[in-house]
Amino acid sequence: MPLFHFVCTECQARSEILVRGGEPPVCPHCGATDLVKQASAFAPVASDPGGGLPESCRSCCSLNNGTCPNQ
Ligand SMILES: [Zn+2]
């Protein structure tokens, strides 16, 4: 099943969301539908200067078995 990582542009929460055909992803934290899909080769840090890197990085590391894609 297509499970993607998204970052909410409203509350900045990072979520794994199961995307079904024709249905837009919805943020489970605030209900916004304005989400940005995270690809493995994409570095969201570059477009987010000074914005809460340590905490989001920590959560992504736990999702990637300790391998941080941002470092
Ligand atoms: Zn949100």
Side-chain angles (χ1 to χ4, degrees), residues 8 10-13 27 29-32 35:
C8 178
E10 293 293 328
C11 70
Q12 311 302 312
C27 176
H29 298 275
C30 71
L35 306 183

Side-chain angles (χ1 to χ4, degrees), residues 27-71:
C27 176
H29 298 275
C30 71
T33 55
D34 194 6
L35 306 183
V36 178
K37 181 157 66 174
Q38 301 290 286
S40 59
F42 180 65
V45 180
S47 61
D48 185 27
L53 173 60
E55 280 197 10
S56 62
C57 188
R58 199 175 308 135
S59 65
C60 81
C61 289
S62 67
L63 292 171
N64 287 284
N65 297 321
T67 302
C68 185
N70 295 327
Q71 298 288 328

